[in-house]
Amino acid sequence: MRNHTELKEFILLGIPQTEGLETVLLVIFSFIYPLTLLGNLLILLAIVSSSTLHTPMYFFLGLLSIMDMLFPSVLCPKMLVCFSGQSRAISYKGCAVQLFFYHFLGSTEGCLYSVMAYDRFVAICHPLRYKLIMRPGVCVGFVMAAWLVGCLQATILTSFTFQLPYCGPNRVDHFFCDIPAVLPLACADSSSVQGVASTSIGFLALMLWLSICASYTCIGIAILRIHSAEGRQKAFSTCSAHLIAILCAFGPIIIVYLHCTPNPLLDATVQLLNNTVSPMLNSLIYSLRNKEVKSSLKRICHNVVFIVLQ
């Protein structure tokens, strides 16, 4: 990555139009962030500790829980520092690292949603061949491919963004370093970089969305062919939580990166919900709508209470 900048740091201005609300936001997100970490950690422990959950579906769900712990951790610590009234400065390299890991984890999680949709497609449409198709080596290969795509996407976006010269001003009108907030500060024309970023993000999101739609179209057709209402309900219940999580993940991408007219307040609000609230909701969605996970969580809680009372 070439560094033409004379700036040593950026100043994060925070969420637009929220001046005077820092204390309230600090209290809210000081509650949401630890709750997000705790909820996803419990799901991960429930999967690891229960041998009945050692299947491809729960393998991917465990990885999703890890992503939902890492993703908000890229943004929340610095955001909470800013809300507390401490320094809003972030170094040039720190800004680049934050942007890289934001897109790396976001892209990887999007790929993981696509893999999970394919897993449900195989389970419902080809149940007799499920164990053969989704064998451990294939699952690991899917995960490695997801990480590779995420790394490649983040490298492209970060390299193009920070190859531009930044010589001032250094005030980022956002609560973290992201492409739409950083590019206006460049001392050169950034329209080509904005075009590359929009194209790259849009293409990946479109490909993932089409793959998910293809999987769920086949799943929907297969479910309609099931004669018993109980069978249809059981098949649909294994997919409903995943569908809700997908809508929460892909909706903000369209709003923030692909709409024509930038709206700082709208973009910040949507990203804040997507980066902090959605990971917390994912843990609730999957734990409340999945009997096996709920059973394992109850067993863990029972063991913890038993140990504490001893």
Side-chain angles (χ1 to χ4, degrees):
M1 187 185 303
R2 295 177 301 169
N3 185 349
H4 299 290
T5 185
E6 297 176 2
L7 291 179
K8 300 297 182 182
E9 64 180 20
F10 292 97
I11 305 298
L12 300 174
L13 299 183
I15 303 173
Q17 303 177 30
T18 59
E19 293 78 4
L21 298 175
E22 288 83 2
T23 302
V24 175
L25 292 172
L26 176 63
V27 172
I28 292 173
F29 290 102
S30 293
F31 172 75
I32 289 177
Y33 179 50
L35 190 63
T36 300
L37 297 181
L38 178 61
N40 285 287
L41 180 60
L42 286 174
I43 287 183
L44 186 60
L45 289 175
I47 293 171
V48 172
S49 63
S50 177
S51 59
T52 60
L53 300 182
H54 293 174
T55 63
M57 174 181 171
Y58 294 105
F59 170 67
F60 296 130
L61 180 55
L63 289 173
L64 182 63
S65 294
I66 294 174
M67 301 299 296
D68 282 338
M69 287 189 284
L70 295 176
F71 197 38
S73 297
V74 174
L75 314 176
C76 282
K78 182 60 181 178
M79 183 177 70
L80 293 175
V81 168
C82 295
F83 287 156
S84 66
Q86 300 181 49
S87 174
R88 293 176 175 266
I90 183 171
S91 68
Y92 178 86
K93 290 183 178 179
C95 187
V97 168
Q98 191 179 58
L99 189 148
F100 174 85
F101 278 102
Y102 174 76
H103 286 280
F104 170 53
L105 294 171
S107 300
T108 303
E109 186 165 336
C111 293
L112 192 56
Y113 281 125
S114 178
V115 172
M116 292 173 75
Y118 177 74
D119 172 71
R120 291 298 83 206
F121 158 72
V122 176
I124 293 173
C125 299
H126 303 284
L128 298 179
R129 299 173 57 199
Y130 179 71
K131 290 185 177 181
L132 175 63
I133 296 174
M134 300 302 294
R135 55 191 181 275
V138 173
C139 294
V140 172
F142 278 139
V143 172
M144 294 299 292
W147 285 92
L148 181 61
V149 170
C151 185
L152 180 62
Q153 173 83 328
T155 300
I156 292 171
L157 296 175
T158 307
S159 298
F160 273 87
T161 300
F162 286 95
Q163 73 175 355
L164 295 172
Y166 292 90
C167 48
N170 68 339
R171 298 167 70 84
V172 179
D173 192 18
H174 207 35
F175 63 94
F176 75 102
C177 291
D178 195 16
I179 296 169
V182 173
L183 282 183
L185 304 179
C187 298
D189 181 25
S190 61
S191 58
S192 59
V193 176
Q194 182 62 59
V196 170
S198 297
T199 301
S200 180
I201 293 170
F203 177 77
L204 179 60
L206 179 62
M207 292 298 100
L208 295 176
W209 180 253
L210 289 176
S211 70
I212 291 169
C213 288
S215 294
Y216 274 102
T217 298
C218 295
I219 289 171
I221 294 172
I223 290 176
L224 290 176
R225 290 175 177 172
I226 298 175
H227 298 294
S228 68
E230 183 181 354
R232 287 195 296 269
Q233 176 63 29
K234 183 178 180 181
F236 180 75
S237 66
T238 64
C239 305
S240 57
H242 185 228
L243 281 171
I244 295 171
I246 287 171
L247 293 175
C248 292
F250 281 85
I253 295 175
I254 298 171
I255 295 174
V256 174
Y257 295 102
L258 303 181
H259 66 98
C260 298
T261 306
N263 186 322
L265 178 59
L266 175 63
D267 292 351
T269 302
V270 170
Q271 284 188 311
L272 195 60
L273 294 174
N274 186 49
N275 301 340
T276 58
V277 178
S278 288
M280 180 186 68
L281 292 179
N282 279 350
S283 62
L284 292 174
I285 290 168
Y286 282 106
S287 60
L288 293 177
R289 296 189 64 87
N290 191 296
K291 293 180 181 179
E292 290 83 1
V293 173
K294 281 195 292 185
S295 176
S296 184
L297 286 174
K298 287 178 181 178
R299 187 164 53 253
I300 290 175
C301 292
H302 179 270
N303 292 338
V304 169
V305 171
F306 179 75
I307 293 172
V308 170
L309 294 178
Q310 272 189 328

